[in-house]
Amino acid sequence: MKSARKKAIAGKVLVYVILIIIAALMIIPFIWMLSASIKSDREVFQMNPFVLIPENPKWSNYHDIWTKIPMLKFVENTVFLTIVVTFLQLLTSSFAAYSFAKLEFKHKNTLFFAYIATIAMPWQVYMVPQFIMMRKFGLNDKLLAIICLQAFSAFGVFMMKQFYEDIPDELCEAARIDGMSEYRIYASIMLPLSKPALSTLTIFTFVNTWNDYLGPLIYLKSEAKKTIQLGLKMFISQYSSDYGLIMAGSVLSLIPVLAVFLCLQKYFVEGVASTGLKG
Amino acid sequence: MAKGLSRQKKRDLVAYSFIAPNFIGFAVFTLVPIVFAFALAFFNWDGSNPITFAGLSNFKQLTGDVFFKAALKNTIIYCIGTVPLTMIASLALAIVLNQKVVGRGIFRTLSFFPYVASLVAVTSVWKMLFHPSKGPINNILYTVFHVPMEQLPQWFTGGLVLVSMILFSVWKYMGYYMVIYLAGLQGISAELYEAASLDGANTWQKFQYITWPQLRSTTFFVVVMLTINCFKVYDIAIMLAGGGSGELTISSTVLVYYIYQKAFIDWKLGYSSAVAMVLFLMVFVVTMIQFRGQKKYQ
Amino acid sequence: MKKKLLSVLLAAGMVMSMAGCGNSNSQPAASNDNAAETQTQAAETEAKTEAASDAQTADAAGGEAVTLKWAIWDKESTPYWQALADAYKEVAPNVTIEMVDLGSTDYMTVLATELSGEGSDFDVVTIKDVPGYATLVQKNAIIPLDDYISADGVDLSKYAGTTDQVTVDGSLYELPFRNDFWVLFYNKDLFDAKGVDYPTNDMTFDEYDALAREMTDTTFGSQVYGAHYHTWRSAVQLFAVLDGKHTILDGDYEFMKPYYEMVLNQEKDGVCRKYTDLKAEGLHYSAAFSNGDVAMMNMGSWYVATLISSLQSGEYDADLCGNWGMVKYPHAEGVEPGSTLGTITGLSVTSATDTPDEAWKFVEWVSGEEGAAVMAATGNFPAIMTDEAMDLITGLDGFPTDEASKEAMNVSNLYLEVPYAENVSEINSALDSYHGSIMSGEMTIDEGIAAMNEAVQAIKN
């Protein structure tokens, strides 16, 4: 009995040691980013000796980022895009995924295959035909172009479908026998049950849209429509690279993403109290 | 009979109505260009001049292309290294962080850091850590393990570059897949574990007989996404191994880089699509095998 | 002669601006002599139906408002775009120049995508490099300028032979407005400290190698690198083409071997930083030179403007690199000094534009002597190097005062980093890749050169 407890304690200690090592590995880049964001160009790449906080911290980087480029406008655009895309993505994906996971219909496998197949295609392959098509629709240099590109991704449908499949069919069957319509089942049974999946998808979509670079680069050209990532790239010019500013921008752009993660992560925890793997 | 048919039809309609909002957008903006790109593999096109039919010549040309073969080989090695490692690491992390651990929220957030942080920033850090002459890793090898100066590993060139890429990608995407697994773990009913505890099952048995089978669709999803994303590796290679003009050498080039180069530097869209077809077929075969595997379990 | 041309241009500009004030509404037949002049041009260009171009050119002369959409990069950090647009506004007030910043990192990719298919609304595009230029020419995205050039009597000889190297089947599709050439930058303080004579405008590669070695100090803590080579292919490989006997498109690269050997031996002996280190650090050449431990560095003349402005703003420490100079590139035995590499930046008229004549006028102006003056005033090297422009640059506050640095600006032979060829972008990619392999030690020099030969010959066939 005693040795078992000892073993348990040793196990716990081991788990914590590993966790702390992992946490350290994970946090290094962020610390480095913070440190680089208050350095001058030359100090950023100085390794020998490496200093965390330079003698003369260049706080001005955090000020310049707002004045050197119209960062506020970029933030506005990015926030708008991210919110719209995430909302559309969640709504349409979970809707379609319900059908794929819980309903039987003609051409189900063919349609689903079409989704999977497109995930496998690198965007670079169809970027040009897509661009020519979008321009024909009059979407060049419109924020709407990015929404159209991002909001209907196959990834979301695939992910939601996999989660719905794990929810027992019996729940739906019972509801059907009770005379509920499929729409009611989706709204009152599936949606509430899929909070963890929905929050996961929210985070992924949010991060993707927030950090997207190539899409905005191709489609958004006028200054008033650019996004944060394009703004950050503006600093990297051919003949000089302003790393301190880029890092300051990266730190700023990271904050909303982390905030969203922190807000949503409680949904992963939900139910753990009753389901946790108790050793 | 007639009534049954109409009920089936009605059911189909309901199902389609669920799919429609997503599918219409998806079909117009993604599927159509992709089908077009698929067809391009059998044509020559530079994006502006008229398209000409090429038959199989693009594919024939592939067989003698040194860069393509190198890219194919590197991509496959990278996938074989990355997929299992990332899966195991993220599953382990998810299981640990699904337990009652003090500071669980903080640990979870930290694990997610590498994924959200910008690639430029994190690759810079990695390149410092693994810097061939000044980096702390090689420093330790030199001072602690007495590896001679000339034999210190060159992490970003030659044979080691793929190893660096694999390690980096496991580190960067572990948190991402951990989140998927965490969400999957929520779906497992607590009663299953309680029943198993009553039967005297130990931790490993619980994992083997409950967690693992219950996570089947999640794992399927994770593995498929991992495979696809690994085959699509591109910017990691550029950032870690790219030279002065962003170019990759024969030992670090990957398929999507080659696709990008052929499409946007050389503007041989047909040839680029042919390379993409090879990539697609590989992903397709791997996915089908996994699909079969998943079906068999059920 | 030059003065006269300038004054004619100015006068024309004034007439145009007056016309512009006179009638803001569209009056197609307002000024007859201009219309007549352009009629002959229209017949030659065959671009449009006669009636259409007739009306168009007349519009321009009459001063109807025209907007030209111009593709550029890095608007914020590159002052000359705005300066050129503003100056042109004085010349042609009816023309509004709308700049679209496509960013520098993926500029040619975005531009080529934008010009794909039909329906682009760009009128004038900046051409950043020759491979990108080749792409646009082959895509028929930009138009040949020959008819305009002969109609307006543009003297191509003023472009120092660079236009010949981008001529495609006898036609020219771009007009350069900026021309950078490579020189050897050096840090005078380091030479003074060591008591070594400064590099000269007439050095062979052997002398250069010896000097670099003499300047090197490998003592830890007071390290000095005799030379520095940026990670670009051009910084090492292209030493080899300066003797004029070979070109980068040859397909047989045995002639590069001595230069790779020189640089790799220097690397081995600690004369220059290791390629693999540079790659891992992502060390920018400007950071390397401004750090004050590099005695000599070969780099393009664009670095002059950077050095001057960064020293003035205090971004670079004047104690470390404030005392700098330039000399001509070293040369091979038996070749006259002053041969160097050049990089041109040009302007092209798109085939999608509705106003090719106005677009051409703009291109002609920017690449002409007035544009050159604007470029020089911002510290950049214009494609047409006039004495005035040269005086403007060498007279800039912060430009080295010694005679050798001024003399270094005189180029005798200019070889483009890549001249035009049909498959130039593929050749360029292959050479880039194997350059990386050789420099990082993945391949020996012989293996790398053999691989280059094989790859380029395969592309050419």
Side-chain angles (χ1 to χ4, degrees):
Chain A
M1 195 63 201
K2 226 180 178 177
S3 77
R5 259 185 73 188
K6 253 189 193 160
K7 229 168 130 186
I9 289 171
K12 270 256 159 81
V13 170
L14 191 72
V15 164
Y16 278 108
V17 169
I18 292 171
L19 275 180
I20 286 167
I21 292 173
I22 289 175
L25 280 175
M26 299 291 172
I27 195 122
I28 285 173
F30 191 66
I31 292 174
W32 189 83
M33 265 165 75
L34 277 175
S35 149
S37 72
I38 48 169
K39 286 178 175 174
S40 72
D41 269 9
R42 223 150 26 83
E43 288 165 325
V44 168
F45 288 104
Q46 223 158 51
M47 279 293 290
N48 228 345
F50 178 81
V51 278
L52 204 56
I53 299 167
E55 254 175 72
N56 299 310
K58 227 181 141 188
W59 296 112
S60 62
N61 281 341
Y62 280 92
H63 175 254
D64 290 350
I65 191 124
W66 297 97
T67 52
K68 279 206 179 174
I69 53 167
M71 196 65 172
L72 201 64
K73 186 78 206 159
F74 296 169
V75 171
E76 238 177 78
N77 290 336
T78 319
V79 167
F80 169 75
L81 279 180
T82 310
I83 290 176
V84 174
V85 168
T86 309
F87 176 74
L88 282 177
Q89 169 86 280
L90 283 178
L91 191 75
T92 64
S93 306
S94 63
F95 220 52
Y98 174 71
S99 184
F100 279 120
K102 298 292 174 206
L103 298 176
E104 285 306 322
F105 57 93
K106 255 190 186 168
H107 309 305
K108 178 170 156 178
N109 286 334
T110 322
L111 282 176
F112 189 65
F113 173 74
Y115 273 102
I116 301 246
T118 57
I119 305 181
M121 280 300 242
W123 188 50
Q124 284 86 346
V125 178
Y126 58 93
M127 203 167 96
V128 175
Q130 193 181 43
F131 176 77
I132 293 174
M133 192 186 81
M134 295 284 254
R135 191 171 55 196
K136 281 237 169 77
F137 293 165
L139 290 175
N140 191 14
D141 204 17
K142 299 257 165 39
L143 289 177
L144 187 59
I146 302 298
I147 295 175
C148 292
L149 282 189
Q150 301 259 7
F152 309 105
S153 87
F155 172 80
V157 176
F158 183 26
M159 199 190 99
M160 291 308 293
K161 178 202 173 238
Q162 291 307 112
F163 277 111
Y164 283 157
E165 276 186 348
D166 285 345
I167 295 175
D169 286 344
E170 293 81 27
L171 280 176
C172 302
E173 290 302 333
R176 273 181 206 130
I177 290 165
D178 287 351
M180 268 198 206
S181 74
E182 295 297 338
Y183 304 103
R184 285 261 328 263
I185 299 176
Y186 162 80
S188 56
I189 297 180
M190 296 307 262
L191 265 192
L193 277 176
S194 54
K195 264 188 205 155
L198 285 174
S199 17
T200 312
L201 187 58
T202 309
I203 287 169
F204 289 168
T205 314
F206 192 93
V207 173
N208 260 339
T209 318
W210 192 265
N211 287 341
D212 189 17
Y213 167 66
L214 207 51
L217 179 72
I218 301 277
Y219 285 97
L220 307 175
K221 276 138 211 146
S222 47
E223 190 106 328
K225 301 209 173 72
K226 287 187 172 167
T227 61
I228 298 180
Q229 296 303 321
L230 290 180
L232 291 181
K233 274 279 157 95
M234 274 182 162
F235 293 128
I236 312 179
S237 53
Q238 195 189 3
Y239 301 132
S240 62
S241 40
D242 223 329
Y243 268 94
L245 274 177
I246 298 166
M247 289 305 147
S250 303
V251 171
L252 287 180
S253 77
L254 199 59
I255 293 171
V257 184
L258 285 177
V260 168
F261 181 80
L262 284 173
C263 290
L264 289 177
Q265 76 143 335
K266 68 164 185 268
Y267 292 108
F268 312 134
V269 197
E270 197 181 58
V272 168
S274 54
T275 62
L277 277 175
K278 282 168 229 143
Chain B
M1 188 69 204
K3 212 181 163 193
L5 230 168
S6 78
R7 188 186 289 158
Q8 179 56 40
K9 265 213 173 125
K10 219 173 147 192
R11 263 192 178 179
D12 284 355
L13 277 181
V14 170
Y16 290 143
S17 73
F18 271 101
I19 296 176
N22 189 280
F23 190 77
I24 292 170
F26 163 77
V28 173
F29 297 113
T30 312
L31 205 55
V32 170
I34 283 190
V35 170
F36 184 74
F38 248 102
L40 264 187
F42 305 97
F43 292 87
N44 288 327
W45 193 40
D46 68 355
S48 297
N49 289 313
I51 301 181
T52 54
F53 187 67
L56 290 174
S57 71
N58 283 331
F59 292 96
K60 275 187 201 137
Q61 213 185 321
L62 280 181
T63 54
D65 188 330
V66 183
F67 280 99
F68 166 71
K69 282 191 258 182
L72 185 65
K73 191 187 101 201
N74 292 339
T75 309
I76 292 174
I77 295 176
Y78 171 80
C79 285
I80 292 175
T82 311
V83 176
L85 275 179
T86 313
M87 197 206 89
I88 293 166
S90 56
L91 177 59
L93 202 61
I95 289 176
V96 171
L97 290 182
N98 198 37
Q99 296 181 53
K100 283 183 183 156
V101 178
V102 181
R104 186 170 59 188
I106 295 170
F107 284 125
R108 283 180 183 178
T109 313
L110 287 182
S111 321
F112 207 57
F113 258 98
Y115 172 65
V116 288
S118 93
L119 201 61
V120 185
V122 291
T123 44
S124 311
V125 184
W126 268 69
K127 285 161 102 174
M128 303 243 151
L129 295 177
F130 289 88
H131 191 288
S133 58
K134 296 184 231 161
I137 309 259
N138 276 6
N139 237 320
I140 292 170
L141 288 178
Y142 179 65
T143 47
V144 180
F145 296 96
H146 303 291
V147 179
M149 196 69 108
E150 313 79 59
Q151 284 172 27
L152 282 176
Q154 293 281 344
W155 293 100
F156 303 111
T157 47
L160 273 178
V161 67
L162 286 175
V163 175
S164 302
M165 274 164 61
I166 292 169
L167 286 177
F168 177 84
S169 125
V170 172
W171 172 81
K172 171 124 172 107
Y173 294 106
M174 195 161 83
Y176 176 92
Y177 294 103
M178 174 203 77
V179 167
I180 300 180
Y181 267 125
L182 271 178
L185 285 171
Q186 307 312 309
I188 303 177
S189 147
E191 284 128 42
L192 287 173
Y193 290 110
E194 276 154 23
S197 294
L198 287 178
D199 291 346
N202 62 25
T203 314
W204 174 247
Q205 283 167 329
K206 279 186 202 161
F207 172 77
Q208 200 182 355
Y209 296 112
I210 302 174
T211 316
W212 182 245
Q214 289 286 323
L215 283 176
R216 201 175 39 224
S217 357
T218 312
T219 304
F220 171 69
F221 175 71
V222 165
V223 173
V224 169
M225 284 317 298
L226 254 174
T227 315
I228 291 176
N229 286 335
C230 281
F231 274 112
K232 281 159 83 174
V233 61
Y234 167 62
D235 32 13
I236 292 183
I238 298 273
M239 302 265 186
L240 281 183
S245 325
E247 81 282 350
L248 294 175
T249 65
I250 261 220
S251 58
S252 55
T253 183
V254 287
L255 281 178
V256 175
Y257 170 74
Y258 200 57
I259 289 172
Y260 177 86
Q261 191 184 335
K262 284 291 149 195
F264 294 115
I265 311 294
D266 302 339
W267 286 87
K268 297 197 160 174
L269 296 175
Y271 193 65
S272 162
S273 279
V275 180
M277 282 280 265
V278 174
L279 177 85
F280 172 77
L281 284 177
M282 287 193 308
V283 175
F284 179 69
V285 168
V286 175
T287 312
M288 279 301 125
I289 293 170
Q290 286 161 352
F291 218 66
R292 280 276 161 81
Q294 193 205 13
K295 281 263 160 70
K296 221 160 79 187
Y297 262 112
Q298 281 174 342
Chain C
M1 180 62 209
K2 268 169 205 151
K3 281 247 168 75
K4 201 176 155 198
L5 204 127
L6 260 173
S7 59
V8 167
L9 269 170
L10 270 174
M14 278 165 73
V15 169
M16 277 164 104
S17 65
M18 267 144 71
C21 296
N23 44 0
S24 50
N25 285 331
S26 66
Q27 297 235 320
S31 79
N32 285 321
D33 46 2
N34 258 322
E37 183 192 305
T38 40
Q39 232 160 20
T40 48
Q41 205 183 76
E44 278 166 18
T45 51
E46 318 171 357
K48 303 262 153 187
T49 65
E50 210 160 307
S53 72
D54 227 88
Q56 245 166 32
T57 44
D59 277 356
E64 191 191 334
V66 178
T67 301
L68 294 179
K69 211 164 167 185
W70 181 24
I72 58 160
W73 60 84
D74 290 350
K75 194 174 158 194
E76 302 296 321
S77 55
T78 319
Y80 58 74
W81 304 122
Q82 192 63 51
L84 287 169
D86 289 346
Y88 192 66
K89 192 82 201 160
E90 305 281 310
V91 180
N94 61 316
V95 180
T96 310
I97 303 291
E98 187 192 334
M99 287 178 276
V100 180
D101 188 342
L102 302 183
S104 68
T105 10
D106 302 282
Y107 177 79
M108 286 316 289
T109 300
V110 180
L111 182 63
T113 309
E114 181 65 43
L115 296 182
S116 289
E118 284 156 10
S120 166
D121 46 7
F122 278 106
D123 303 297
V124 178
V125 294
T126 317
I127 306 290
K128 201 173 175 194
D129 53 34
V130 176
Y133 168 73
T135 299
L136 295 185
V137 170
Q138 281 153 19
K139 282 165 80 83
N140 289 319
I142 50 181
I143 59 170
L145 303 173
D146 308 294
D147 295 327
Y148 287 115
I149 289 172
S150 55
D152 288 4
V154 177
D155 179 10
L156 291 181
S157 66
K158 287 186 288 195
Y159 295 100
T162 49
T163 49
D164 296 342
Q165 297 177 59
V166 289
T167 300
V168 183
D169 299 330
S171 293
L172 191 61
Y173 292 76
E174 72 169 325
L175 217 47
F177 69 98
R178 179 172 166 189
N179 180 7
D180 285 296
F181 52 93
W182 288 58
V183 292
L184 193 65
F185 289 86
Y186 66 97
N187 190 329
K188 291 178 181 171
D189 285 343
L190 290 178
F191 281 87
D192 292 341
K194 231 174 175 186
V196 178
D197 286 340
Y198 293 161
T200 68
N201 277 319
D202 183 0
M203 283 192 296
T204 64
F205 276 104
D206 289 340
E207 287 164 350
Y208 162 75
D209 186 37
L211 187 62
R213 285 169 184 278
E214 196 179 349
M215 283 305 298
T216 301
D217 187 347
T218 50
T219 327
F220 188 81
S222 58
Q223 213 146 25
V224 171
Y225 296 98
H228 182 83
Y229 305 96
H230 191 54
T231 45
W232 296 329
R233 172 172 70 84
S234 310
V236 175
Q237 210 179 59
L238 292 183
F239 282 139
V241 301
L242 296 179
D243 58 6
K245 291 176 193 138
H246 306 279
T247 85
I248 202 67
L249 306 169
D250 271 4
D252 181 1
Y253 299 104
E254 204 50 44
F255 65 91
M256 291 176 179
K257 194 176 176 187
Y259 300 94
Y260 272 120
E261 275 171 347
M262 175 182 87
V263 172
L264 286 178
N265 281 332
Q266 287 186 353
E267 216 182 66
K268 203 173 76 207
D269 299 335
V271 175
C272 59
R273 285 192 170 87
K274 285 202 174 73
Y275 175 86
T276 48
D277 284 4
L278 292 177
K279 216 175 82 164
E281 279 158 58
L283 186 72
H284 200 252
Y285 61 83
S286 61
F289 189 76
S290 62
N291 212 17
D293 56 0
V294 168
M296 295 186 284
M297 178 175 84
N298 56 330
M299 192 35 69
S301 53
W302 56 78
Y303 191 44
V304 173
T306 315
L307 261 173
I308 292 177
S309 65
S310 301
L311 278 165
Q312 269 161 6
S313 71
E315 177 73 18
Y316 292 174
D317 190 344
D319 292 338
L320 292 176
C321 66
N323 197 8
W324 57 282
M326 284 174 286
V327 289
K328 289 178 184 172
Y329 243 45
H331 57 86
E333 204 77 53
V335 178
E336 67 159 334
S339 290
T340 189
L341 302 172
T343 310
I344 56 170
T345 313
L347 290 185
S348 294
V349 177
T350 63
S351 46
T353 178
D354 296 327
T355 51
D357 298 326
E358 284 77 10
W360 158 253
K361 285 278 166 226
F362 178 64
V363 171
E364 185 187 14
W365 182 87
V366 171
S367 302
E369 311 208 344
E370 286 180 83
V374 175
M375 292 298 288
T378 53
N380 292 285
F381 290 81
I384 297 184
M385 218 8 149
T386 59
D387 293 340
E388 289 92 343
M390 185 59 88
D391 288 344
L392 261 176
I393 295 178
T394 53
L396 283 175
D397 190 22
F399 194 91
T401 48
D402 61 306
E403 277 310 306
S405 292
K406 279 187 189 136
E407 169 59 23
M409 301 291 99
N410 291 324
V411 173
S412 59
N413 286 309
L414 197 68
Y415 300 100
L416 288 194
E417 287 183 63
V418 222
Y420 176 83
E422 200 187 334
N423 293 314
V424 61
S425 70
E426 283 172 278
I427 295 176
N428 194 44
S429 308
L431 293 178
D432 270 344
S433 174
Y434 288 118
H435 171 71
S437 295
I438 294 176
M439 292 304 289
S440 59
E442 284 171 17
M443 290 181 172
T444 66
I445 299 175
D446 287 327
E447 284 167 0
I449 286 178
M452 274 183 205
N453 292 345
E454 199 182 318
V456 173
Q457 270 150 20
I459 293 166
K460 281 176 130 180
N461 291 329

